[in-house]
Structures are given as structure tokens and as C-alpha cells.
Amino acid sequence: MKRFETPTFERETGNYHTSRPISRVARSYQKIEDSPSLVVGTKTCGYFLQNAPGATVPAEPRYAMAEPEEGDTPAKPNDYGESKRPCPRVIGNRDPSATARTGTRTTEVIKMDLEGMAPKPESEIGVPIVVARANGPDHAFAQGEDTASAATAHRCAERDLVDKRDQPLQSPPSQGAEPSEPVTVPSANRETNPPPVPLGSLPPTVAPQSNPEPKRQSVRVWGWLPAQSYTALPPLGAGVYVCGANPFPSRTATTPMRRRKRRLIGAPSPTGPDGTRAWIEKICPASGVRTQGSKERERQVREGSKDYLDSVRGKPVFFAGDNPLEVSLARSPIRRGTVVYEIGIPYMDKRHQAAEPAPSRDTCKDVRIPVPRIVEKPDNYDQIQRMRESRPDLAITGMANANPSEARGIDTKRSVESTFAQIHGFTNARGVLQSVTRSLRRNDPGDSGWAANLVKGDNNPMQ
Amino acid sequence: MKPAHRMHAGPAHIGTPRIASSSKNAHATTHAPLGDDYSNVMRPMLERDRDFTPVTASTVDRHVLARGSQEEVVENTTRKGKEERPDSITPTPTCTSSILQEDLQHFVRGASITSDSDAIPADVNHYRVDESQAADGTSEQAIRHHPNKARRQGTLGRSPVNVPSANTIGTPTLGSHNQHDCRELKRSLRGIGIGINQIVPEGALIGNPHNPPKARFNPVPHREVGLMAAVYSDEEFGTPCISTTPAGIVETAEWIRQTQERVGKRSPASLEEKVDHELYIDQQTRSVSQAARSPRSIDRQNSVGKRAVVFGDATHATAMTKVPSREMGIRVCRAGTYCKHDAEWSNEQARGFCDEIPVTDDHTEVGDTIGRVEPPAISGTQMERHVGKRLDIPRGVTPSPVHIQNFPSGYRPFPGYEGTNQIADSVYNPHTLGTEDHLPDIFGGHDIEGVTESLPTEQDSLIRNPESQLKPSQIPRSVRGKTKVKTEESARRNGITNITIEVIYAAREILGTR
């Protein structure tokens, strides 16, 4: 039997369930606090947004819809007047530093020139308008955030760091609540490189959390893209390194690379102890710092979550795939000895995620389990058939398939949680495990299925 | 272009799958871009359904935008026909296919050649109808399609069966309390000796297509979905329809009297005996329904004359206006609906039971109205619940749009005599209780201070780094207290005296505070 094969990439019909990319846009503008978003789309988009970000809607969301009516659909591609009308409502009394316009597939079909329409009201209202096209035909789920961040990347200030090498480095722009303390960079490091800019919108509670990690290595982070507020966007000067903090911002990564000639650090995303370690170890050399004690730190964290680790060891898991986090999420469970049957993923930018499959392959060798197959653009119907055959202990899948799978005896974990939960850095490694193992733990006492336990009554799990 | 961000009724292509997914062995395919199949999420999540929702997307991607979907819709329909073997497939247009102007009819004709299943293209236009109108239209299409097919095959049964029976029309999935409503309707009919011929949608898209005309009448409990089908049935087969919603004691009695009359209308001469339900109505009102008794009980007196604002779909808003004002002595000061297409009917119904009737689908307008009126209680949808939360006004939720807590596991119908009990509860529960209402007035309010405050923490040697004091504001409020306790616990255990951010994070790593 051939034991260690290379990962097989497959591609199916793309008929899978996922969230619309505008949902991530809604989220990424939740992160950029001072930029309300105007989604130009139909009732379908609106209904989705109010159902998907659910509870966030009542808390006065930072988005609004401009809903094309029947009269608007015959293309009036430069419909400046019409698109200006909802503007005051979005801006309201919020005094934003920027507004975002989000295109949907409707604007795509009627070929509304969103980018062309933006400059005029921009100069009239005096507030920058960032245009992101996050439409269903082109993107899936988290890719929406990617397009939004890419659009914001164009707005980052230009500041040349290399030329000012003689002068002491300015302290990085303050990051939300992260106080810009005087940074003590050893003088030996100053000549090397300016600090990196991580890409990817992380929850405000997490972004500063990952900062202590590089800080521990005396690497400062220049700023995050997107930042907590539009005014705090990091300047992308020459010599700045960018580095993905999520696996999906490939477009955001290419923007500074192609347009700004910045360099990208290819690293796996910092999820799980091993991912975080690899991330740090990639970032440090780029800044000319030697990594210290990251191995030890990884071991500590792994030790700290031993109880959860044991509960996933040897368990077969199936990733149905609906947000591009799957490959990096699967890497950590594999490291813990979980047998992953299949990793579905909406799309795979092999160049941007080059650092990802490699750890998977290496990890599989390390823990002696078969390499999972990676299915790009999966077909949910076929996946359900495969799940039926392979009967995994845990399926990580979208909400459309979760309850029906549970009813068929397969424990599930909702995949969206991983995009909204705090999964980055050493600090959250235990949290990820806790969340993943929750459905396994629920069923643990007496493993004969819930109905049998409850109906017979002789198998009291409390005993 | 219209500015909006919350809407009461969903888009049309949610309505059609609601009908298809209510029926056994029916399937809907939506011609939609990736991510638009979220009716697939709503049904298993809200209804906790055990089965996969029979809705598939025939994905519109960049290639389709460029060259049209060509064979894609046909292929998908045929594929679903093979995989699921449904009796009928309903290809559904979305807003995208509306503006792509593709001839769905043509695709469907193509698909029905290659597929064994009946293909019925949903005749809905995204830009003209909303969710409930689309559901209404689709159920009419279903009831039109199948009997017509049966007629062509000569299998259509026309004469009503001897035992009086009825088709209930409406109550599809994803409606607020719809399953309970359907069951209560069955019970109510059985109580007066009427059987169920067919439940539409549930059996009507399939099975015995020659069945619907056999019923004596068609009760439609919610006028949003089902009325069109019932009217068609009346015109085509002469089956009379009852559009009264049996909500509240008065309307339920009225509904029973109507059934009596409708049964008489179509019954064969030999069976024509004198049926009188008055005794039944009296008995039910006195002993089964508690709703007649409870407003008369002394503890409900403090609710009399209290004001309320009601908002919802036409059916529920009307019922929640009439029942409290007519049966409980509550003053409904605003009774609004978002069903603009049915505004005339709701106006007519609610007139005389409330002060003003706003018709709007703009949630901010509803919120403003509530803010102006400042009622002691609100009855509305989820959105009005949020308004109530913001303004600190007690609220109850009955009509759609609703969230998961309005798909209760317990039996909570809206119509019928059991329904009267549920309505009474939902009207009274938001009100504060009698003594609770009076006593704080006398004693100057509730004494909450000091009760919820935790024990004073001992002044210890822990130094809290000012930086770490900033952090709690970034921790979600719900776990902030727990995080603080656990951090300090772990600091003491590890002999740390200076609490920095790193200590907080380290505690989280170990204790998994979330």
C-alpha cells in the first residue's frame, strides 16, 4: 500500500452551498469602524444580509442597501443621480471617514459602472468611496472580504521607509486599543527590514492578540490591513513586507505586490499552534530577527489543550467546504492525529496558499496518516453520497447540511463559526479545539446514538 | 433605487421553495448565483428539519452571464430528476434570471422531455412580487397543474365524497407557527365532524391530483398564502372557500358557522340533515378555551385599557388587533401591516378596532411610530421586537419574519380554540403583573442595586497594569466577568502579581474562557 501520496487536487461542479460574498463585506466593514457600507443589490441580497449576519442587524449595522427597482434594471450604467440618492442615508449622522460601495451580481449583470461613478460623489461629499465588487458569480464567501480589502489596499498611503533608514523609525500607526508604546528595536535589526503588515480582517479582540507573538520575537507589526479604522490604514511604503493572516486574501496580497512592488511573505495562516509557529518563523527572518522559543511555545500550547487533543485523535473528519479556511483548519487537526477524509474548498489559490498544502503533506507524514484529498469547487450532492459511504465522526459543513446530517447520525460542526470565531494565534488554539470537539463531546457518554439513550432510559449519561 | 436594509418580506424566490419544500417529493431548482440558495439554510435551521431541503441551485456564474445558461438549467433539472426522482420539479427564477431575461419556460420544456418528473416553471417575477405573493402564486400553479393533468388523462374526480371533508390551503414551511396551525385546523374540523381531504401544500403537488375537487370547501387560514389557489378552486371546481382566519373566540365561532353553511351548499340531498354547531361553539368557548374566562378574571383587570401597537402581515396584524380590543379590553392604538398589496382588506378589517392604520414596509417608519406612541406593549415581528428592545418596551412576536424561537417545539397554534389560549398568553405576557405594577409605584421602584452587585472583591496584592485595564473593553460583555475572575485566579495560582495583557491571554489559553 502506498502510504504517503501527494495531495490530490480535484475539481467538481461547484454546486455547493456557501454564503454570499457580501456577508464578508458586511463583516469587514464592521471591522473598519468608521466606514459604513452601501450594498447596491436587490431584495435577495438584502434578505440574505439580514438573515446571515442575523443578530448584528438590529444593532444599527454599518451597512445599507440601495435596492434597484424594476425601472433601474435597464442599464443606465452611469446612473450617478440614482446612486447618489441613498448616500445621505448611509452617511447619516455618522461622520464617516470613508464609505464603501459594494457591487453585487445585479450591478454586474446590468453593468453598472461603480468605479466610474464613485469619484464624482466622492469629491462632492468629501468622503472617500471605496468600491468592492463582491458578487456571487465571481466569488464565494470570504472572497468578498478579499475584494474589499484589495480595494482598501489602493488607499493606503505611500511612505518610503528605506530612504529614511538613517533616521530612527517612526513608531507604527496606533492600532485600535493597542497603545503605540515606544518600540525598542535592537539597533542591530534596524538596518534589515521594516516590520511586516499582516493582511486579513481579524476580530478586534484577536488582531492585537497576535501582536504579542511577533513582539515576543521583537518584531513589530507595522499595521493591519484592513485596520480598525480607515484613518489608521497602514502606509505601504517601499520595503514593506505583507503577510496573510488568513488563507484567502490572495487578491489583497497581489495588490501591494503588483501595484506597489511590495514583497509578500508566504506563510501558512496562524491558526493552531503549529500554524502560528510556522507563521512567526516565516515573519521573523524577513525582519531579520531570529526566532526564539517558538517551538517551546507551541509545545506549551499543545500541552495546555491535551484533553481536547485526545478526544479528536484518530477520529475521521470530513470538511465539506464553504470558506477558503478549510486547508489551514484541517492542518491542525491532522497534526493531532485526526484522519481527514476530504477537504472541500471553494477555491484554492495555489500560489498564495503555497505554504499550506506543504505543511499538510509534511504533517501527514509526521503523524502517519494518509494525505487527504482536496476538492476544489465541490458538489454538495456528491459529497453527501461520499459522506454516507465513509461515515465520518465529524463533518464540518454549512448550515444547510448540518441538521440533516445530524439526523443521519453524522456529528457536524457548522463551518461558518470558523470564520467568525477567534481562531488565530497561540491564544486561541485551545478555543478552536474546544469548539470543534463540542459535538463529539455531546455524544460521548454511551455511544449508541441519542434516540436509543433517551428512549430506553437505562443508559443515563449522568451516571 | 430604493434605500433599505431590513425588510419584512423576503424575495420571491424564497416563496416558491417554501411551497416546494412543504410538499412530499417535490423539488425546486433556483436559477441563481452561488450563495443564493439560502432558503436551504433557513429551513433546516429554523424548522430544525431532519431532511435536506429539496432546493438546488442551478448556478449562474461568469460563463452564464457571458453566454446565457444554455443547457445548464436543462441539465440540472434532468440531473435532479434522476437523483431524487421527485414527482415535480419547479425551476424558479431569481432576480438575476429576471434581468438576464432568459426564457425559463423554454428550458423547462426542454427538461420535461428528458425528465420523468413534471416540470412546472414558477411564474414569479422578482421585481413585482414578494415572498408570500410568490408562495401564493406557486400554490395556485400547483393546484392548477395537477387537476388539469388529471383531467387530460380523464382521472379527475369531481363529485364531493359523502363524508364531508375539506382541503386546508396554506401553512407552508418557514411560516410562523405554521405546523401547529395546520394541526389545530385539522383538530377543529374533526371536532365538527369534517375530515381532511388534502392539505395544500403537502400533498397537492403530487399524489392524488384528482383529489382536490372532492372536498366540500377550502379553508384558508392565512390569507397571504393560499387564497389564490382557493379562488381558482372555487371558479374551476365550484369548491367554496373560507377566507376567515379562525383566530380568537369571535372569529372561530364565525368560522365554524361558515363551515356549516359551506358544507350544506355542496352536500347531496340525501345527506342533508340539520347540523347545528351552536352547542359545540358554546361548549368549546366555555370549557376548552380559557381566553373567554381569563379577561374576566380579576387578575387581568389591570390590563384593561392598556395601549398596544400591533404590526405584522395582514392576517396576524388584523387578528392581533381584533382579538385584544374586542375580547380583552386592550386599546390598540396603531395596527399596521407590511402587506401593501393587501392594505385595503386590512384597513377594512381593523377599522373600528384601532386609532390609526399605518401601511408601510419601512421598518424605520414603524420604529418611529412606536417611539412616538410609547405603548406599554408591542405585538409584531422580529423587527418590532428589536424596536421594543431598544426602547425598553415589552414585546411579543407572532407574525413572520420570525426567528428560531418562533418555531417552538411545544404546541403553539394560532387559530382554533387552542389558539385563543395562545393568543391570550401572548397578549398578556408582555404586560407587567398586577401587584408588580402597583407596588413599585408605592415603594419607589424596584430595588435592583445591591442585589445584582457581586461581593466586594478583597483588596489583594494584584497590580493591574493600566494596559490590561483597557483590554476588558475588547472582551465581549457576556464573558467579561468570567475572564476577569479566571485571570485573577490563574495569576494568584501562578504567583503573578502584575496583571498584564499577556497574563490575560495566557489565562485564556489555559482556561478556554469563552
Side-chain angles (χ1 to χ4, degrees):
Chain A
M1 196 183 107
K2 208 173 101 191
R3 186 140 202 161
F4 304 119
E5 58 270 72
T6 50
T8 24
F9 282 91
E10 283 169 42
R11 182 179 275 223
E12 288 186 334
T13 60
N15 209 327
Y16 61 101
H17 178 81
T18 184
S19 289
R20 304 177 50 136
I22 46 171
S23 70
R24 274 307 271 208
V25 171
R27 197 177 100 70
S28 106
Y29 286 103
Q30 192 145 22
K31 185 174 157 57
I32 303 185
E33 276 163 0
D34 53 354
S35 75
S37 176
L38 178 71
V39 180
V40 187
T42 54
K43 239 186 172 58
T44 312
C45 312
Y47 203 58
F48 170 77
L49 275 177
Q50 94 180 43
N51 277 297
T56 61
V57 172
E60 285 315 311
R62 288 184 276 264
Y63 81 88
M65 299 287 307
E67 194 186 311
E69 289 165 299
E70 200 166 3
D72 296 321
T73 47
K76 284 184 255 171
N78 218 338
D79 210 341
Y80 160 69
E82 276 298 313
S83 82
K84 204 190 155 197
R85 215 151 60 87
C87 267
R89 176 143 166 178
V90 182
I91 293 171
N93 44 13
R94 288 195 179 100
D95 193 21
S97 58
T99 64
R101 282 227 181 141
T102 306
T104 60
R105 45 69 203 286
T106 309
T107 59
E108 212 63 21
V109 176
I110 63 175
K111 301 201 166 39
M112 193 182 262
D113 183 11
L114 285 173
E115 283 90 349
M117 268 151 61
K120 204 172 164 195
E122 192 173 78
S123 59
E124 265 170 38
I125 307 167
V127 174
I129 296 177
V130 183
V131 177
R133 293 165 178 250
N135 45 0
D138 290 341
H139 310 288
F141 203 12
Q143 279 177 299
E145 180 185 318
D146 188 20
T147 55
S149 314
T152 339
H154 288 293
R155 306 287 178 133
C156 288
E158 188 84 26
R159 192 180 300 169
D160 223 341
L161 298 172
V162 182
D163 294 346
K164 292 179 184 167
R165 199 181 285 164
D166 310 332
Q167 298 154 21
L169 276 173
Q170 294 156 356
S171 64
S174 75
Q175 252 306 301
E178 176 73 14
S180 51
E181 51 181 59
V183 187
T184 48
V185 184
S187 56
N189 287 342
R190 196 181 294 160
E191 287 93 313
T192 53
N193 290 306
V197 175
L199 309 171
S201 100
L202 267 55
T205 46
V206 174
Q209 260 175 46
S210 302
N211 268 351
E213 303 301 344
K215 214 160 86 183
R216 210 181 282 258
Q217 307 290 345
S218 14
V219 174
R220 295 169 312 139
V221 165
W222 187 248
W224 286 76
L225 187 73
Q228 195 76 7
S229 74
Y230 185 81
T231 44
L233 281 177
L236 291 177
V240 166
Y241 276 92
V242 291
C243 180
N246 270 329
F248 49 78
S250 59
R251 203 178 277 227
T252 314
T254 47
T255 303
M257 275 163 68
R258 290 191 187 147
R259 306 283 294 258
R260 297 286 184 80
K261 306 275 181 279
R262 307 298 163 256
R263 278 160 296 177
L264 177 76
I265 305 171
S269 79
T271 48
D274 48 340
T276 311
R277 175 169 75 101
W279 192 69
I280 303 256
E281 284 177 355
K282 290 272 189 179
I283 279 191
C284 286
S287 308
V289 178
R290 246 206 5 245
T291 38
Q292 286 158 358
S294 58
K295 268 210 175 87
E296 170 61 16
R297 186 99 173 87
E298 185 195 352
R299 198 195 54 77
Q300 265 174 14
V301 171
R302 194 167 291 159
E303 199 63 28
S305 35
K306 206 163 177 301
D307 45 346
Y308 292 133
L309 290 176
D310 291 342
S311 68
V312 284
R313 181 154 297 138
K315 292 263 162 78
V317 172
F318 192 104
F319 284 84
D322 70 357
N323 54 64
L325 288 169
E326 283 89 3
V327 167
S328 28
L329 277 181
R331 185 208 332 112
S332 313
I334 289 173
R335 167 67 75 185
R336 288 156 203 143
T338 306
V339 181
V340 176
Y341 287 153
E342 176 170 328
I343 304 172
I345 189 163
Y347 82 107
M348 182 99 188
D349 184 333
K350 282 177 198 149
R351 201 164 64 116
H352 181 71
Q353 285 184 273
E356 288 291 354
S360 309
R361 201 163 46 226
D362 294 347
T363 328
C364 288
K365 264 181 207 157
D366 281 0
V367 286
R368 295 169 186 284
I369 54 163
V371 178
R373 62 182 207 166
I374 300 174
V375 180
E376 206 183 19
K377 280 172 155 288
D379 185 291
N380 269 177
Y381 183 86
D382 293 343
Q383 278 189 319
I384 287 160
Q385 309 308 316
R386 290 200 290 272
M387 258 158 69
R388 240 176 217 178
E389 284 158 21
S390 56
R391 301 209 64 80
D393 275 9
L394 180 68
I396 294 168
T397 177
M399 286 189 280
N401 301 327
N403 265 344
S405 299
E406 288 277 348
R408 280 156 186 74
I410 297 170
D411 286 339
T412 54
K413 180 77 207 157
R414 293 187 291 180
S415 52
V416 274
E417 276 176 37
S418 57
T419 65
F420 291 98
Q422 311 182 349
I423 56 168
H424 296 85
F426 286 128
T427 313
N428 293 307
R430 188 179 154 87
V432 178
L433 272 169
Q434 191 182 35
S435 137
V436 166
T437 53
R438 192 164 284 145
S439 58
L440 292 173
R441 278 179 288 135
R442 182 191 58 196
N443 275 7
D444 238 11
D447 204 19
S448 53
W450 56 271
N453 282 348
L454 300 180
V455 174
K456 278 186 201 152
D458 56 0
N459 194 359
N460 187 355
M462 302 308 285
Q463 278 166 5
Chain B
M1 261 189 265
K2 200 170 92 182
H5 63 60
R6 267 167 264 177
M7 56 196 79
H8 286 94
H13 77 274
I14 295 288
T16 300
R18 275 178 66 190
I19 299 298
S21 65
S22 306
S23 319
K24 276 190 212 90
N25 219 14
H27 204 96
T29 56
T30 52
H31 190 32
L34 197 64
D36 267 8
D37 51 348
Y38 52 83
S39 59
N40 276 358
V41 174
M42 293 172 70
R43 197 173 93 113
M45 290 309 289
L46 295 177
E47 302 221 322
R48 303 178 197 91
D49 209 281
R50 297 172 202 209
D51 283 320
F52 293 100
T53 310
V55 180
T56 320
S58 134
T59 320
V60 174
D61 57 10
R62 191 47 68 173
H63 303 294
V64 172
L65 294 191
R67 58 164 173 73
S69 53
Q70 293 183 350
E71 294 302 305
E72 182 158 335
V73 175
V74 180
E75 270 164 26
N76 262 304
T77 313
T78 315
R79 180 185 161 188
K80 277 301 136 191
K82 280 201 194 105
E83 284 167 357
E84 311 276 352
R85 312 207 68 74
D87 293 303
S88 70
I89 299 185
T90 311
T92 311
T94 60
C95 53
T96 308
S97 56
S98 284
I99 46 179
L100 284 176
Q101 300 187 334
E102 292 198 320
D103 189 356
L104 206 60
Q105 287 277 354
H106 170 75
F107 293 142
V108 168
R109 218 171 296 131
S112 58
I113 295 169
T114 47
S115 172
D116 290 342
S117 315
D118 280 4
I120 316 167
D123 185 15
V124 294
N125 181 335
H126 174 91
Y127 293 95
R128 300 197 180 154
V129 294
D130 67 13
E131 175 185 345
S132 58
Q133 285 168 294
D136 202 12
T138 308
S139 28
E140 194 227 344
Q141 273 189 295
I143 214 162
R144 188 191 283 267
H145 176 88
H146 290 287
N148 279 347
K149 194 179 158 200
R151 186 187 288 142
R152 281 199 301 276
Q153 293 165 344
T155 51
L156 186 70
R158 295 220 103 180
S159 60
V161 280
N162 283 343
V163 189
S165 68
N167 299 323
T168 69
I169 304 186
T171 65
T173 52
L174 286 176
S176 153
H177 298 231
N178 268 2
Q179 288 174 326
H180 310 293
D181 289 8
C182 184
R183 189 170 144 204
E184 182 63 22
L185 223 57
K186 266 197 269 186
R187 266 173 44 152
S188 307
L189 287 168
R190 206 182 304 127
I192 49 174
I194 295 169
I196 290 284
N197 181 55
Q198 195 144 27
I199 295 169
V200 184
E202 193 173 57
L205 281 170
I206 49 129
N208 278 335
H210 48 275
N211 247 352
K214 285 187 174 171
R216 296 279 177 89
F217 63 93
N218 295 329
V220 178
H222 308 140
R223 55 185 295 109
E224 280 74 29
V225 180
L227 207 54
M228 272 172 82
V231 168
Y232 174 79
S233 219
D234 191 2
E235 283 167 4
E236 195 61 28
F237 314 115
T239 319
C241 120
I242 299 180
S243 63
T244 309
T245 304
I249 296 163
V250 179
E251 296 282 281
T252 306
E254 171 61 22
W255 183 78
I256 292 176
R257 288 187 195 109
Q258 283 181 7
T259 64
Q260 191 178 331
E261 179 229 337
R262 303 287 201 277
V263 170
K265 205 183 246 176
R266 289 196 85 194
S267 75
S270 59
L271 274 171
E272 196 142 12
E273 342 165 351
K274 189 85 186 133
V275 214
D276 190 4
H277 294 317
E278 290 306 323
L279 191 65
Y280 173 80
I281 294 171
D282 189 72
Q283 219 174 30
Q284 293 284 312
T285 309
R286 282 172 194 282
S287 44
V288 173
S289 170
Q290 298 294 312
R293 168 99 195 93
S294 89
R296 282 163 188 79
S297 85
I298 197 73
D299 60 312
R300 296 303 193 203
Q301 264 181 7
N302 73 318
S303 294
V304 171
K306 284 225 167 130
R307 290 168 311 139
V309 169
V310 173
F311 196 81
D313 60 7
T315 303
H316 288 84
T318 305
M320 290 308 283
T321 308
K322 281 179 169 180
V323 175
S325 54
R326 185 153 60 177
E327 295 171 18
M328 300 166 193
I330 283 164
R331 206 182 120 220
V332 177
C333 40
R334 300 284 184 278
T337 177
Y338 59 83
C339 293
K340 281 181 159 172
H341 62 279
D342 215 7
E344 210 172 300
W345 180 85
S346 351
N347 277 340
E348 190 187 301
Q349 293 290 311
R351 195 169 298 139
F353 294 106
C354 66
D355 306 346
E356 209 176 284
I357 307 165
V359 176
T360 177
D361 56 1
D362 183 348
H363 69 97
T364 50
E365 213 175 307
V366 181
D368 292 349
T369 307
I370 294 173
R372 268 198 308 278
V373 175
E374 279 193 75
I378 307 169
S379 159
T381 69
Q382 275 294 324
M383 310 206 182
E384 284 70 53
R385 185 174 75 89
H386 290 301
V387 174
K389 218 159 138 188
R390 202 174 63 219
L391 302 174
D392 201 19
I393 299 171
R395 56 268 163 190
V397 175
T398 342
S400 299
V402 285
H403 208 38
I404 198 153
Q405 62 267 58
N406 285 86
F407 292 88
S409 316
Y411 186 47
R412 302 267 308 277
F414 187 71
Y417 284 107
E418 179 53 33
T420 61
N421 295 336
Q422 301 296 336
I423 293 176
D425 283 350
S426 71
V427 169
Y428 284 129
N429 282 352
H431 290 194
T432 39
L433 296 173
T435 44
E436 206 185 347
D437 209 15
H438 301 308
L439 293 183
D441 283 349
I442 298 167
F443 297 121
H446 278 295
D447 198 6
I448 2 176
E449 299 287 313
V451 180
T452 49
E453 210 172 278
S454 55
L455 293 169
T457 41
E458 42 171 318
Q459 282 305 310
D460 51 29
S461 52
L462 291 180
I463 303 161
R464 286 164 192 87
N465 191 307
E467 204 184 337
S468 81
Q469 297 293 322
L470 285 172
K471 289 296 127 172
S473 65
Q474 293 185 349
I475 299 166
R477 187 164 306 182
S478 53
V479 292
R480 210 175 282 168
K482 200 173 151 200
T483 311
K484 186 168 174 269
V485 169
K486 289 202 163 177
T487 309
E488 292 179 1
E489 205 176 90
S490 94
R492 280 193 202 97
R493 202 185 306 136
N494 295 318
I496 298 167
T497 48
N498 186 2
I499 294 184
T500 57
I501 316 169
E502 278 78 13
V503 176
I504 296 183
Y505 291 146
R508 277 186 53 137
E509 264 168 47
I510 300 160
L511 302 164
T513 315
R514 55 185 61 231

